[in-house]
Amino acid sequence: MSVLPQREPPLPASPTAPRFESWAHLVFRRFIHHRIAVVAALVLLVIMLAAILAPWVSPYQLGQPDLSAMLAPPSLHHPMGTDDLGIDLFTEVLFGGRVSLTIGVFSALVAVLVGGAIGSVSGYYGGIVDALLMRVTDVGLSVPLLFVVLLLSLLIGPTPVSIITIIGLTSWMYPARIVRSQFLTLKKRDFVEAARAVGMRSARIIVREIFPNAMAPLIVNATLLVGQAIILESVMSFLGAGLTPPNISWGYLLNQAQSFTTSAPWLAIFPGLMIFLVVLAVNLVGDGLRDALDPTSIRRTR
Amino acid sequence: MGVFIVRRLAQAVPVIFLISLLLFFMMHAMPGGPLAMYVHQPGITKAMLEQIRIDYGLNHGVWTQYVDWLDKAVRGDFGYSYVYAQPAVTMMLARLPATLELMLSSFLITVVFSFLLGVYSAVRQYSLGDYAITVVSYFGFSMPTFWLGLMVLILFSVQLHWFPAGGISTAGAAFSLGDRLWHLVLPMLVLAFYTLASESRYVRSSMLDVIRQDYIRTARAKGLSERRVIWRHALRNALLPVVTVMVMDAAYLFGGALITETIFSWPGMGRLFIQAILQSDYPVLMAIVSFLSVVIVLANILADVLYGLLDPRIQYS
């Protein structure tokens, strides 16, 4: 065990802040000042809760047709209208949120884990390992993403797990580059030297010493990846190469809405509005996090 | 400079090779193989299947097939479409002009307006206009292109009937430029929106960096008109990082075109790709993905080279 300090303080405490304030608390305090980001975080929270609690908060049962209201426009009974079978769109959107959000979060997680691992190894070891892994990253960045994702979905067959894998394994390149560049600077710092001096193994230094210090920009990127993954999944479903019932995602609802652009435009409006809201909120939260995690990037406000 | 270009090209070769290998093996990993669609056809016999296998060269080992494929691919032969029995490349090239028409017009709009909006935003930082542009561009890159497309289609064609609901021209009518432009407006704007949103931000931040520099103050002190200071002195240096992004984005417009073409029934390459996906038409898919990969790699190189040409401080040795 090392008796040396486990990690350097990631952020220099501002002169006014008490020295004992924890990093997480400091970040939280900075984030709270970012008013738009806080509102976005709340919106996101509400949408996520509504999706998680869908079976309890939805006004109708999923897939239960209301034969008296087929293709009904939005009303008090059906806040988002109904489809051609009289199925309540609001209910479908709530359940669709479960699918879309799950895919978004887990795809980002896969991308960050894979990218984090590749970036860490690449940055820490350097040399031929780095050259090889970065060439592979180049390949990842040189394929036409949307086309390849659709092709993979066709090949593997779209299930929630396969979609998460496909999106995750085609989105790890930026996280990898971010983590690598962090490692390149961090590995020269004294605390890494100290860890080596007390005989810590490389794997342990990477995971326990350097990685925690390289996290900040990765967290910001992970947030943005959630939004991108949600859009990518919905594009796949929209184009007919993504999830199909019983896994109704917002993209699938939009795919179905295409046949009713004349008779029932609300079918196309609401699911897309949800995607838009979530992605917008995620991007704003990401911006807030960036400012909160990195004091040098704080934008001047009036 | 010439040496640099050659070296960049040489670096791209292994990347392209790895991509081709990746894609080729992906296709052969599929369940049922390329013959899946024939197996389910009524009236097909084992002997006929075997004949098709041999015709398509599927009876050889996978590596032999790859080498065979690569050899042909380099010469632009991606085999025949499983569905239309036409050369895949011919089908792709036939669709390319429509896609390029859409992409180039979008790109033009993006470049012109991202400069206008970006420079305005930077010069009038924190003004009402700057805030409005910021908000709209935030919306722009949070909005899924396909949803924007659907909304625009519903509003402007289905409800208001201002623009046609799809296609590249009126069916059966003789060619007329007005008609073509009429059909182009909606898909072009939808495709441009996302890149416009992000690129106007790049122009803005790049301009902001430049505007604060001393030489701009000097230019102003010399008594040059503000217009000249901004558009000649500042923009020239602000261009550098932006050009790279724009060239890269131009290649990625293909992805946006895929979505836009599907929504607006635009007879381009993207729509061909979606058809091929739905029909498991692998030679066509392979041709398109290979083509686009090469385009992206070349765009990367072009961006690097342009950067060098525009910035005399960069020495390539």
Side-chain angles (χ1 to χ4, degrees):
Chain A
M1 271 309 287
S2 142
V3 288
L4 294 158
Q6 280 287 308
R7 62 180 74 147
E8 293 194 344
L11 297 167
S14 70
T16 53
R19 298 272 317 160
F20 51 81
E21 189 174 26
S22 79
W23 183 58
H25 188 248
L26 187 66
V27 169
F28 179 75
R29 217 162 45 84
R30 286 216 197 93
F31 185 78
I32 284 293
H33 280 295
H34 209 295
R35 235 173 292 153
I36 299 173
V38 172
V39 172
L42 288 177
V43 168
L44 211 53
L45 200 68
V46 168
I47 293 175
M48 282 171 102
L49 274 178
I52 292 168
L53 300 174
W56 296 278
V57 298
S58 68
Y60 298 85
Q61 276 197 304
L62 186 66
Q64 199 180 48
D66 179 353
L67 296 176
S68 64
M70 286 184 282
L71 290 179
S75 65
L76 281 178
H77 294 290
H78 300 284
M80 295 184 179
T82 63
D83 69 5
D84 55 325
L85 298 172
I87 292 171
D88 182 54
L89 183 62
F90 182 56
T91 304
E92 283 193 305
V93 164
L94 282 173
F95 278 91
R98 297 184 134 197
V99 177
S100 292
L101 292 170
T102 309
I103 303 261
V105 170
F106 281 95
S107 304
L109 212 61
V110 171
V112 166
L113 286 177
V114 174
I118 290 180
S120 303
V121 170
S122 202
Y124 184 81
Y125 290 104
I128 185 112
V129 179
D130 182 37
L132 262 173
L133 287 177
M134 281 304 108
R135 209 30 32 107
V136 173
T137 311
D138 283 349
V139 171
L141 287 171
S142 302
V143 294
L145 175 69
L146 185 54
F147 293 79
V148 168
V149 163
L150 290 169
L151 192 56
L152 284 173
S153 171
L154 172 71
L155 286 173
I156 303 174
T159 65
V161 173
S162 76
I163 298 277
I164 287 170
T165 314
I166 291 169
I167 297 179
L169 291 185
T170 48
S171 314
W172 55 268
M173 290 82 71
Y174 284 108
R177 283 191 169 180
I178 289 167
V179 172
R180 174 178 176 268
S181 68
Q182 289 281 307
F183 264 68
L184 286 180
T185 52
L186 287 171
K187 74 175 176 186
K188 294 186 194 123
R189 300 267 283 271
D190 290 341
F191 72 101
V192 176
E193 207 53 56
R196 262 197 220 111
V198 296
M200 205 180 265
R201 281 182 304 117
S202 289
R204 198 177 155 80
I205 294 177
I206 290 175
V207 175
R208 297 292 296 273
E209 298 291 324
I210 308 182
F211 194 74
N213 287 303
M215 287 270 285
L218 191 61
I219 292 172
V220 175
N221 192 256
T223 318
L224 303 178
L225 279 176
V226 172
Q228 283 171 29
I230 289 176
I231 290 193
L232 203 51
E233 186 282 325
S234 57
V235 170
M236 292 165 80
S237 298
F238 176 73
L239 294 173
L243 293 171
T244 45
N247 295 303
I248 304 170
S249 73
W250 289 332
Y252 178 78
L253 291 175
L254 284 167
N255 171 294
Q256 296 297 298
Q258 272 179 296
S259 326
F260 303 102
T261 46
T262 319
S263 53
W266 51 87
L267 291 176
I269 293 173
F270 292 107
L273 199 61
M274 293 310 291
I275 301 175
F276 174 46
L277 262 183
V278 168
V279 176
L280 184 64
V282 162
N283 286 347
L284 289 170
V285 170
D287 263 20
L289 277 178
R290 189 198 330 264
D291 292 352
L293 288 166
D294 179 6
T296 58
S297 80
I298 290 178
R299 285 173 301 182
R300 285 193 295 162
T301 44
R302 287 209 291 194
Chain B
M1 198 66 207
V3 178
F4 170 73
I5 296 174
V6 170
R7 217 181 46 210
R8 273 304 267 114
L9 282 171
Q11 273 175 6
V13 171
V15 173
I16 291 182
F17 170 72
L18 280 175
I19 293 170
S20 72
L21 209 59
L22 198 76
L23 296 173
F24 183 81
F25 281 106
M26 247 161 43
M27 303 211 157
H28 278 261
M30 66 179 174
L35 289 180
M37 59 167 301
Y38 293 101
V39 179
H40 301 295
Q41 263 177 30
I44 198 149
T45 64
K46 282 239 165 78
M48 284 158 79
L49 268 182
E50 194 53 36
Q51 190 55 48
I52 295 170
R53 265 171 68 82
I54 293 166
D55 285 350
Y56 286 146
L58 298 174
N59 52 339
H60 300 296
V62 171
W63 276 106
T64 324
Q65 282 186 50
Y66 172 73
V67 173
D68 191 36
W69 170 80
L70 187 67
D71 175 50
K72 286 178 175 163
V74 173
R75 285 182 274 128
D77 178 2
F78 282 86
Y80 287 78
S81 155
Y82 291 157
V83 181
Y84 299 99
Q86 282 175 15
V89 167
T90 312
M91 285 174 68
M92 179 184 83
L93 290 180
R95 297 293 194 95
L96 194 56
T99 297
L100 287 181
E101 179 186 331
L102 185 59
M103 277 176 56
L104 290 179
S105 53
S106 282
F107 186 64
L108 207 69
I109 295 254
T110 306
V111 170
V112 170
F113 282 92
S114 57
F115 274 115
L116 289 177
L117 295 177
V119 170
Y120 174 86
S121 252
V123 173
R124 302 267 160 85
Q125 198 187 6
Y126 302 135
S127 69
L128 203 65
D130 178 31
Y131 274 117
I133 292 169
T134 304
V135 169
V136 171
S137 57
Y138 240 101
F139 282 12
F141 45 73
S142 301
M143 194 177 287
T145 305
F146 68 98
W147 185 59
L148 176 68
L150 265 182
M151 291 300 104
V152 164
L153 188 79
I154 288 176
L155 184 61
F156 293 107
S157 339
V158 177
Q159 302 286 337
L160 297 172
H161 299 287
W162 288 359
F163 294 98
I168 194 169
S169 61
T170 308
F175 176 86
S176 90
L177 188 65
D179 183 54
R180 285 292 282 260
L181 288 176
W182 204 236
H183 282 78
L184 182 63
V185 174
L186 290 187
M188 172 184 73
L189 291 181
V190 167
L191 182 56
F193 196 59
Y194 179 87
T195 37
L196 182 56
S198 63
E199 278 168 19
S200 62
R201 303 310 292 169
Y202 274 110
V203 175
R204 178 182 185 268
S205 62
S206 184
M207 267 309 263
L208 282 177
D209 285 345
V210 171
I211 274 180
R212 297 199 186 106
Q213 286 176 22
D214 287 344
Y215 81 93
I216 293 297
R217 204 171 17 173
T218 311
R220 285 205 180 109
K222 266 194 331 191
L224 292 181
S225 71
E226 187 64 16
R227 176 183 297 247
R228 201 175 160 82
V229 171
I230 296 298
W231 292 99
R232 291 293 293 273
H233 291 242
L235 187 60
R236 201 171 247 200
N237 278 339
L239 257 175
L240 281 173
V242 177
V243 166
T244 323
V245 176
M246 283 184 171
V247 172
M248 294 294 301
D249 269 6
Y252 289 110
L253 269 180
F254 278 106
L258 174 74
I259 297 164
T260 322
E261 286 176 6
T262 311
I263 294 170
F264 291 96
S265 319
W266 192 264
M269 223 171 66
R271 210 155 151 253
L272 177 68
F273 188 84
I274 293 298
Q275 274 172 17
I277 283 273
L278 298 177
Q279 296 166 327
S280 305
D281 196 349
Y282 290 99
V284 175
L285 296 175
M286 197 71 187
I288 293 178
V289 172
S290 310
F291 171 75
L292 292 183
S293 303
V294 173
V295 168
I296 292 176
V297 172
L298 289 180
N300 272 320
I301 298 172
L302 183 67
D304 277 5
V305 171
L306 272 181
Y307 199 92
L309 283 178
L310 290 170
D311 191 346
R313 286 168 302 184
I314 293 178
Q315 297 288 322
Y316 297 104
S317 47

